[in-house]
Amino acid sequence: MPWGLFLGVVEAPERAWLGELLASPAIRSKYSALHEPAGGSYAVGSLACSLGWDPKLMELSDVTLFSCALGTAIAGRSLEELNVTLLGDPFPFDSDDPCAQAAHLFHEIVVQRNEAILARKDSDYTAAIVDELKAAASDHRASLTKRTKALAGELAGAKFAGEDVVDHLDRILTDPKALMIANVPTYKCLEISERILTADLRWVPCGELEVGDQIVAFDEETPDVAHGRRNSKIATITRSDRRTAPCVRVTLANGDSVVCTTNHPWLVDPYEYTASNRQYVTSEGTGGERPRPLVGMFALRAYDMWEPARSFDAGWLSGMYDGEGHLSMQPGKKSSFSLTVSRKSGPVLDECERILKEHGFVVSHSAGGGTNGDVHQLSITNVAETTRALGLFRPIRLLGQYRPPKGFRIIEKVQIVSVEPVGLREIQSITTDSGTYIGEGYAMHNSGFEQQFDTGGRIDWTEPDYKIFDPQQGVTDLLAQAADAECLVVSIQMAPIGKPAGPPVYARGSGAAGHHTYYVTNRPDELLDAVGGVKVTPKRTQAVRSEPRWPVLEPDDPLRRKADVRLAMLDPGEANYLKQRFAHRFLTDAAAGSAAVLVDGKIACAFGVDLSPVFRPHSPRAPKLAILQWSFAPPRDDDGRLTLLGAMLAMQRPTLQAMASPKTMMAVDLAEGITTVMFTSKHEVKGYRGLMELARRDVHPEHGFKLIYRGDLGDDGIADTYRRWWDRDERWKQQRAKNTRKTGTD
C-alpha cells in the first residue's frame, strides 16, 4: 500500500529519451554535475546513476514533504531537521538511521492520509485499510526502509536542498559543468474573476481569496455509505496562488459559462434523472483517464448566484430577521433548514412578505396554535433559497449562526454544451482542506496541491520558502533565466500543440486534449546535436471506455436469493469503464472475454476470462487452464462479497460457454480448470478458501505476496451458482457478526 509513494513522474517514453541524452558522449564529455530540481522520487538521478554518472556530483531539490524527506535521507542527514509534527507533537522517530526515519514518516503519511479520509467518510473499506496499515506496520516500514536504502545507495553522496526550481537554477547559472533536468509541475483552477461561495455567504472572485478564508464546500467523496450521499460543510483554504495557464470557456445549456483551466475538475453526472454515477471530469474530458468528455455531462448547480441587496427594503427586512427571525438547523435532519420571521398578523408581516416575493422567494404563511394563535410565521423552507435569503439580506445575527445543512442538495442538473479554448488567462490555484468548493454556483474539485500527502493537518512540518511554479509562464521564465547561462537546462512542459516555451527537442502526444508533452532547453542546437535531432513519440493509445448498457447496483440496493440473475456480455469499452469505476486504479485493457452479472437488471459484478492459454499452455505437460483475469464489484453497505460471485461464475463451464466465441468454444471443452493470480499483502485470500486451491505463494518485493490459485470447472448454471454464492455470503456475514460481538470490534 505505501509503496505507491515511490511511483515516479517520468513516464516510459520520456525516460527512454532522457536515457539517450544522459548516455550521449557529447553530453558526458562536457557536463559532469547533474542537477534535479522538482525531483519527486528522483527518477532522473537514479537513471543517471545507472548510466555511470557520479552521484557525488549530483544535487537534488524539491519542496514537498515526501521529496524533502527522501532527499534528506539520501543525503544522509537526520529528518529531525524538517521539524515534522504528528497531531501537534514532535514526530516520534524511533531510529537514528535517516532511511528508517524516512520509512517511518512515509508509513505514517499513508496512515494519517487514510485517517483524514475516514474522518470525513465513514467507510468500512477505508477503516480496513487503516487497520491493515497499523497491524502490518513493521512489515510496511521494513519494506519502505529497504526501498529508501536502495535509492540512497544508488545516489550515495548526492547533495539535497529544500528549494524551488528557480532558486536551484539561480545557484548554478555560472557552472559550465552543470546539467539541469527539471520535471516541473502543472496546476488547475478557475480564472481569477470567477466567484466562489464563502462561509459568510458572499460570492467572492477567487483571485481575492487568501489562505485561511473559509468557504462553503462538500465531501470530496460519498461519506455516508448507508445513504450514499455527500454532506455540505465549511472548508478552509490552505493554499491560494496566482499564475497563468491555458483556459477554456465551459458553456452550459442555461446560458451560464465558466472560464477555467483545461484540466479543471467538475463534479458531474452522466444522467439527468439519477444520481448513481457522479464523478469528477476535467474540462478536457477524455484527455486523461476519464470515460467520457465533459460535453454532454450534467453539471450540478447547488446554489443560485446573488449580490447583497442594498435597498432600503432589504435593510429593513435584514433588521426584522435579526430582531424577530429564526434560523432552524436541527442536527441530523436534512429537511429542517428554514428561515422564519414571527409577527402578529398585520402591516409589518405583510411588508415582509411583499419584499420577499419581490426578490423571488416562495414563502409559507402559517398561524400559531393555542395562546399564540394571533402570531403568524412567514417561512422560507427550501435549503438553497434559505441560503440565498441569508446571503442576500445579510442579517448579522443569523449569518453568525449559519452552518451548511446535512446532505448535499442541488437545485438542478445543467447539461454542458460546449468547451472552447480562450487562450492564456490568469488563474487562481486554490487548495482547500475538503478538496472541493462551489464555483459560480456549481460543484467543483479544487486545484489540489500534494494531494497524495494531504493528511488534513495531522502531519505538519517546516516547509522551505518557495513560490508555486506557474506551469505555462514558469517554463518560459526558466528559459529566459538561463538564456545566457553556462549550464545546460532541460525542462519538461505540457503545452498547447505547437506552442512550447522554446524550440522543442522532444515531443509526444499527451493525454490532455489539444496539448503535447515537450522537452525544451536553453541551448536547443547543442542538445539536438547530442541526441541526433528532435524525437517525436507517437501519442499513446488510450483505453476506450464507454458506459455500460445497464445500471450499476447501488450500495443499498436489496439482493434477493430468488433474484433474476443473468449474464451479459460486455464490449471492451464497457469492461474498461467498469474496471476503472470499481477498482479506482490503473488496470490492463479488457480481457479476451468480459461479462457482467445482472441481478434484477443491475450490474452486480463483472469479470474477465481469457481462454486462449488453453490452446497455448506454457509447457507440454502443463494443465490446460483458462485464466480469470479480473473480477470486480461495486461496494455494498452490507459488506457482501460480490467479487466472489464473479469468480464462482467463471469456474462454471456453462458460463464459459456463454462467453465463448465460435473460435474459442473448443477451448471450453478442452479446459481442465481455471487459474488466477493475485498480488496482496496477506499470505492468502480468505474468501477463496474452499473455492480454489492455493497452488503457489511467492514473496513479492512490492505487494507482499504473489498468490496463484487454481480450481476445477463445474457444471452449475448461472442461477444455481448465484444461490450458492448467496448462501456462502450469508454464512460469512453471520460468522463475521458473531466474531464482532465476541471481540467488541468492527
Side-chain angles (χ1 to χ4, degrees), residues 17-254:
W17 181 82
L18 287 172
E20 187 176 348
L21 168 66
L22 292 167
S24 165
I27 296 296
R28 294 292 299 274
S29 64
K30 185 173 181 180
Y31 303 99
S32 56
L34 179 69
H35 293 256
E36 186 181 6
S41 56
Y42 308 107
V44 174
S46 178
L47 175 62
C49 285
S50 71
L51 296 171
W53 285 68
D54 186 355
K56 295 183 179 64
L57 300 177
M58 292 183 187
E59 293 191 30
L60 316 172
S61 67
D62 209 332
V63 295
T64 68
L65 174 56
F66 168 75
S67 297
C68 283
L70 184 59
T72 301
I74 289 170
R77 306 198 306 263
S78 172
L79 269 64
E80 299 282 359
E81 68 180 57
L82 301 179
N83 297 319
V84 182
T85 61
L86 173 62
L87 302 177
D89 296 321
F91 193 89
F93 291 116
D94 54 11
S95 173
D96 294 329
D97 178 6
C99 291
Q101 290 178 336
H104 188 180
L105 176 58
F106 298 157
H107 178 262
E108 196 61 44
I109 286 173
V110 180
V111 171
Q112 295 303 326
R113 167 64 172 154
N114 282 280
E115 291 276 22
I117 295 172
L118 194 59
R120 59 179 185 265
K121 178 181 179 181
D122 187 12
S123 162
D124 288 343
Y125 176 74
T126 307
I129 290 176
V130 173
D131 290 344
E132 195 279 337
L133 285 167
K134 293 179 178 179
S138 59
D139 293 337
H140 288 315
R141 286 176 57 182
S143 179
L144 288 166
T145 300
K146 183 178 179 180
R147 291 289 298 271
T148 307
K149 283 183 177 293
L151 185 60
E154 290 179 18
L155 297 171
K159 299 179 180 65
F160 170 78
E163 62 185 351
D164 69 12
V165 62
V166 174
D167 292 337
H168 192 141
L169 175 58
D170 194 53
R171 289 194 293 105
I172 63 171
L173 289 173
T174 59
D175 185 353
K177 294 291 186 180
L179 166 62
M180 171 183 278
I181 299 178
N183 285 292
V184 295
T186 60
Y187 303 94
K188 50 199 173 187
C189 207
L190 297 175
E191 192 264 343
I192 59 173
S193 65
E194 305 292 6
R195 293 161 294 176
I196 289 176
L197 183 58
T198 59
D200 61 352
L201 303 183
R202 294 178 300 123
W203 290 100
V204 177
C206 62
E208 299 177 10
L209 294 173
E210 300 178 350
V211 173
D213 287 346
Q214 291 192 310
I215 62 170
V216 176
F218 54 92
D219 288 324
E220 185 176 17
E221 302 295 343
T222 304
D224 191 347
V225 176
H227 301 285
R229 295 185 179 93
R230 291 174 167 86
N231 283 317
S232 299
K233 66 198 315 179
I234 296 297
T236 301
I237 293 176
T238 58
R239 192 174 297 275
S240 180
D241 295 278
R242 183 78 54 90
R243 63 188 54 81
T244 304
C247 288
V248 295
R249 183 180 299 280
V250 178
T251 302
L252 298 101
N254 62 358

Side-chain angles (χ1 to χ4, degrees), residues 698-721:
D698 294 324
V699 175
H700 194 275
E702 292 188 0
H703 301 288
F705 295 99
K706 174 184 177 182
L707 307 178
I708 300 177
Y709 281 89
R710 290 180 185 171
D712 296 329
L713 292 180
D715 295 309
D716 289 343
I718 295 171
D720 289 339
T721 304

Side-chain angles (χ1 to χ4, degrees), residues 299-537:
L300 308 182
R301 190 162 75 91
Y303 296 96
D304 284 321
M305 305 289 292
W306 61 78
E307 290 290 338
R310 304 295 185 187
S311 65
F312 174 85
D313 284 351
W316 179 85
L317 184 59
S318 176
M320 284 295 300
Y321 274 127
D322 265 339
E324 302 184 44
H326 172 66
L327 178 62
S328 174
M329 299 182 297
Q330 292 187 29
K333 292 187 177 182
K334 301 188 300 296
S335 60
S336 183
F337 193 79
S338 61
L339 180 63
T340 302
V341 61
S342 300
R343 286 282 303 181
K344 290 184 178 180
S345 182
V348 173
L349 198 64
D350 292 342
E351 185 69 0
C352 291
E353 187 169 5
R354 179 190 69 80
I355 296 171
L356 287 171
K357 288 183 175 180
E358 285 185 357
H359 284 84
F361 291 98
V362 176
V363 296
S364 64
H365 196 150
S366 61
T371 57
N372 294 321
D374 59 342
V375 176
H376 289 239
Q377 294 181 333
L378 202 63
S379 301
I380 302 171
T381 57
N382 178 279
V383 169
E385 288 293 85
T386 297
T387 306
R388 181 168 75 92
L390 289 172
L392 190 68
F393 301 118
R394 310 200 63 75
I396 296 174
R397 178 177 65 86
L398 298 185
L399 270 177
Q401 299 175 7
Y402 170 78
R403 295 294 182 274
K406 181 178 173 61
F408 176 58
R409 293 189 171 188
I410 63 170
I411 298 174
E412 63 175 340
K413 297 181 184 180
V414 186
Q415 192 166 35
I416 295 167
V417 297
S418 68
V419 178
E420 301 171 324
V422 294
L424 295 177
R425 296 288 182 90
E426 279 192 297
I427 65 165
Q428 197 73 16
S429 183
I430 288 175
T431 302
T432 70
D433 57 8
S434 67
T436 60
Y437 53 65
I438 306 297
E440 291 294 314
Y442 295 92
M444 299 178 176
H445 199 282
N446 69 193
S447 67
F449 185 84
E450 205 182 353
Q451 286 289 311
Q452 188 176 8
F453 314 110
D454 180 12
T455 63
R458 288 167 167 77
I459 293 180
D460 201 2
W461 67 302
T462 303
E463 291 183 316
D465 292 331
Y466 66 94
K467 295 180 179 179
I468 297 294
F469 191 86
D470 187 312
Q472 186 67 28
Q473 186 61 36
V475 177
T476 301
D477 292 343
L478 269 187
L479 296 186
Q481 184 183 0
D484 299 319
E486 296 186 57
C487 62
L488 177 63
V489 176
V490 182
S491 177
I492 199 170
Q493 181 187 31
M494 189 173 74
I497 296 173
K499 297 181 180 180
V505 291
Y506 169 89
R508 171 176 66 81
S510 72
H515 288 65
H516 280 170
T517 297
Y518 296 99
Y519 270 110
V520 293
T521 176
N522 61 331
R523 289 202 287 274
D525 292 340
E526 176 186 343
L527 200 145
L528 290 174
D529 288 341
V531 298
V534 177
K535 294 295 188 296
V536 179
T537 301

Side-chain angles (χ1 to χ4, degrees), residues 256-278:
D256 288 350
S257 67
V258 178
V259 175
C260 56
T261 53
T262 58
N263 53 357
H264 181 66
W266 297 62
L267 181 62
V268 297
D269 198 319
Y271 308 111
E272 185 173 6
Y273 299 110
T274 67
S276 61
N277 193 26
R278 290 179 179 176

Side-chain angles (χ1 to χ4, degrees), residues 733-744:
K733 285 187 284 191
Q734 291 170 8
Q735 185 61 45
R736 184 173 184 267
K738 183 178 179 180
N739 293 341
T740 299
R741 288 193 296 270
K742 285 183 177 180
T743 61

Side-chain angles (χ1 to χ4, degrees), residues 497-746:
I497 296 173
K499 297 181 180 180
V505 291
Y506 169 89
R508 171 176 66 81
S510 72
H515 288 65
H516 280 170
T517 297
Y518 296 99
Y519 270 110
V520 293
T521 176
N522 61 331
R523 289 202 287 274
D525 292 340
E526 176 186 343
L527 200 145
L528 290 174
D529 288 341
V531 298
V534 177
K535 294 295 188 296
V536 179
T537 301
K539 183 176 180 179
R540 295 172 298 170
T541 301
Q542 298 290 330
V544 176
R545 293 189 178 93
S546 57
E547 286 187 35
R549 290 158 283 175
W550 309 272
V552 175
L553 193 73
E554 293 295 324
D556 56 354
D557 280 343
L559 287 175
R560 303 178 297 124
R561 190 176 188 275
K562 295 182 179 181
D564 177 30
V565 185
R566 302 182 185 183
L567 201 66
M569 297 304 104
L570 299 170
D571 62 39
E574 291 173 321
N576 283 325
Y577 176 95
L578 290 172
K579 289 199 296 181
Q580 189 271 342
R581 176 173 174 180
F582 294 161
H584 303 295
R585 60 179 180 270
F586 297 108
L587 295 163
T588 58
D589 289 337
S594 302
V597 182
L598 304 183
V599 177
D600 288 332
K602 293 187 176 183
I603 297 175
C605 68
F607 60 94
V609 176
D610 187 0
L611 290 166
S612 61
V614 173
F615 294 122
R616 300 187 301 274
H618 62 83
S619 73
R621 296 181 180 179
K624 298 179 176 63
L625 301 175
I627 297 177
L628 174 60
Q629 291 191 316
W630 54 273
S631 177
F632 296 117
R636 294 289 300 163
D637 285 353
D638 60 4
D639 296 323
R641 301 181 298 175
L642 280 166
T643 299
L644 289 180
L645 174 59
M648 292 174 69
L649 282 167
M651 296 177 65
Q652 306 307 314
R653 216 176 286 271
T655 302
L656 299 184
Q657 289 170 346
M659 298 175 66
S661 67
K663 292 183 179 180
T664 58
M665 185 62 74
M666 184 180 293
V668 178
D669 297 330
L670 295 175
E672 299 171 6
I674 192 165
T675 185
T676 190
V677 179
M678 297 185 180
F679 295 92
T680 174
S681 60
K682 304 294 186 181
H683 71 283
E684 70 167 329
V685 178
K686 292 183 179 179
Y688 274 61
R689 288 180 181 175
L691 189 64
M692 287 189 181
E693 176 188 356
L694 180 57
R696 181 169 175 175
R697 180 194 296 120
D698 294 324
V699 175
H700 194 275
E702 292 188 0
H703 301 288
F705 295 99
K706 174 184 177 182
L707 307 178
I708 300 177
Y709 281 89
R710 290 180 185 171
D712 296 329
L713 292 180
D715 295 309
D716 289 343
I718 295 171
D720 289 339
T721 304
Y722 172 79
R723 284 190 288 271
R724 282 200 300 111
W725 168 82
W726 170 276
D727 294 339
R728 179 189 178 102
D729 203 55
E730 285 298 303
R731 290 194 300 270
W732 175 80
K733 285 187 284 191
Q734 291 170 8
Q735 185 61 45
R736 184 173 184 267
K738 183 178 179 180
N739 293 341
T740 299
R741 288 193 296 270
K742 285 183 177 180
T743 61
T745 61
D746 187 6

